[in-house]
């Protein structure tokens, strides 16, 4: 079931996303949070830091599991998702660093790293709330459009659409990694609740295709239609066609 929340501005967007996460932690301080990178959740993380500073939320007993990571970037590379999460959220709240999990994109044996992440997710029990952004090609995490999708965490070759979209964060397209490690669609859909976030006119079409079009591996986000509890947080521009 999809619950669509359409907000009027950036501030409402961030407030709504942050309140959903904060209220979960107030009810269940030991919650398993599924976290996402990309530009969309940055303001939500900022607002969460404010709520933490105001004493309204604590992460000290929470666990976090990130969706994905580039392959081949050192952890301290400005664009690694581990560094992104540290800088945008973890360094500013009371979460225990050992409770923050990001798939390893540097392991010598990447298949093993994917298996290890799957085991970690299985041992964790269910993710209480999984945050998601949406790629311009309908990807979630780094599950790219393909003939077949994979359920568990796995290694993917990045789509050229994705590499081009993310090139804005690197000096040039050549520096954008060609591969990534990502939770699979199966892992994502196991979450108790999903918060899909999209902002801006450039996401309107793909969002409508994902949520109202057929279920297809050509648009991985379309499988969110099968989940029992998805909150879709959009601004007016991204939600125009819903
Ligand atoms: C990236 C990430 C996704 C993210 C998406 C959208 O490639 N792997 O998790 O949701 O692209 O990013 P943005 O929010 O910047 O549009």
């Amino acid at each position: 079931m999809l619950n669509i929340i359409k907000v009027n501005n950036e501030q409402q967007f961030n407030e709504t996303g942050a309140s959903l996460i904060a209220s979960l932690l107030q009810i269940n301080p030991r919650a398993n949070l599924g976290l996402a990178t990309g530009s969309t959740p940055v303001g939500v993380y900022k607002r969460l830091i404010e709520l933490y500073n105001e004493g309204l939320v604590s992460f000290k007993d929470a666990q976090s599991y990130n969706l994905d990571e580039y392959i081949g970037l050192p952890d301290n590379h400005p664009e690694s998702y581990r560094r992104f999460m540290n800088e945008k959220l973890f360094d500013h709240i009371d979460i225990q660093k050992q409770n923050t999990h990001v798939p390893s994109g540097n392991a010598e044996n990447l298949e093993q790293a994917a298996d290890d992440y799957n085991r970690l997710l299985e041992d964790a029990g269910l993710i209480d709330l999984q945050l998601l952004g949406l790629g311009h090609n309908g990807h979630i995490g780094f599950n790219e459009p393909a003939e077949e999708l994979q359920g568990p965490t796995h290694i993917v070759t990045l789509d050229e659409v994705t590499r081009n979209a993310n090139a804005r964060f690197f000096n040039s397209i050549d520096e954008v990694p060609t591969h990534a490690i990502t939770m699979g669609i199966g892992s994502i859909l196991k979450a108790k609740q999903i918060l899909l976030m999209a902002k801006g006119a450039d996401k309107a079409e793909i969002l409508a295709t994902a949520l109202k079009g057929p279920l297809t591996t050509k648009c991985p986000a379309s499988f969110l239609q099968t989940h029992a509890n998805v909150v879709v947080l959009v601004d007016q521009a991204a939600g125009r066609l819903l």
Side-chain angles (χ1 to χ4, degrees):
M1 168 141 136
L2 304 169
N3 297 295
I4 297 168
I5 305 178
K6 236 186 243 188
V7 296
N8 289 319
N9 56 47
E10 182 84 23
Q11 195 202 338
Q12 282 178 11
F13 187 96
N14 298 336
E15 189 66 53
T16 308
S19 321
L20 209 91
I21 300 162
S23 46
L24 166 67
L25 286 167
Q26 282 152 3
I27 295 162
N28 176 10
R30 303 173 64 84
N32 286 331
L33 302 174
L35 299 180
T37 53
S39 51
T40 311
V42 170
V44 171
Y45 292 153
K46 253 195 202 144
R47 182 65 192 129
L48 270 179
I49 295 166
E50 288 170 10
L51 293 176
Y52 163 72
N53 286 330
E54 289 162 22
L56 295 171
V57 65
S58 167
F59 298 79
K60 81 176 164 38
D61 296 318
Q63 298 274 340
S64 74
Y65 298 88
N66 262 77
L67 280 168
D68 49 12
E69 177 60 285
Y70 287 116
I71 291 203
L73 296 186
D75 275 359
N76 64 356
H77 186 284
E79 292 311 322
S80 92
Y81 286 168
R82 163 48 78 182
R83 178 150 166 193
F84 175 103
M85 288 310 302
N86 288 347
E87 288 182 351
K88 305 285 187 238
L89 185 64
F90 300 151
D91 287 348
H92 311 283
I93 57 175
D94 60 349
I95 198 161
Q96 301 182 57
K97 273 283 166 66
Q98 72 268 24
N99 291 348
T100 67
H101 311 282
V102 179
S104 167
N106 287 314
E108 232 166 76
N109 184 339
L110 291 163
E111 298 298 335
Q112 184 64 48
D115 288 350
D116 290 347
Y117 204 69
N118 279 317
R119 204 155 314 114
L120 186 75
L121 289 171
E122 270 163 31
D123 292 347
L126 298 181
I127 301 264
D128 292 286
L129 178 64
Q130 177 65 59
L131 271 54
L132 293 177
L134 179 66
H136 290 97
N137 57 1
H139 78 210
I140 45 178
F142 269 136
N143 292 277
E144 301 283 32
E147 292 300 321
E148 291 174 348
L149 296 178
Q150 293 192 42
T153 305
H154 60 286
I155 310 299
V156 286
T157 303
L158 294 177
D159 223 81
E160 281 314 294
V161 175
T162 302
R163 292 188 67 238
N164 280 312
N166 292 359
R168 68 190 193 276
F169 301 117
F170 293 81
N171 291 326
S172 80
I173 179 87
D174 301 333
E175 288 182 19
V176 184
T178 54
H179 291 78
I181 177 167
T182 184
M183 267 193 213
I185 293 289
S187 315
I188 292 172
L189 291 176
K190 276 188 201 157
K192 290 189 201 166
Q193 185 175 39
I194 292 176
L195 172 61
L196 173 67
M197 297 175 283
K199 282 194 290 197
D202 55 322
K203 296 283 172 77
E205 266 183 44
I206 190 64
L207 187 64
T209 304
L211 301 184
K212 302 206 302 191
L215 298 192
T216 166
T217 60
K218 303 281 167 60
C219 180
S222 64
F223 287 90
L224 295 174
Q225 295 178 41
T226 66
H227 193 277
N229 189 351
V230 181
V231 175
V232 184
L233 174 60
V234 290
D235 63 6
Q236 296 293 330
R240 186 175 59 87
L241 302 173
L242 295 182

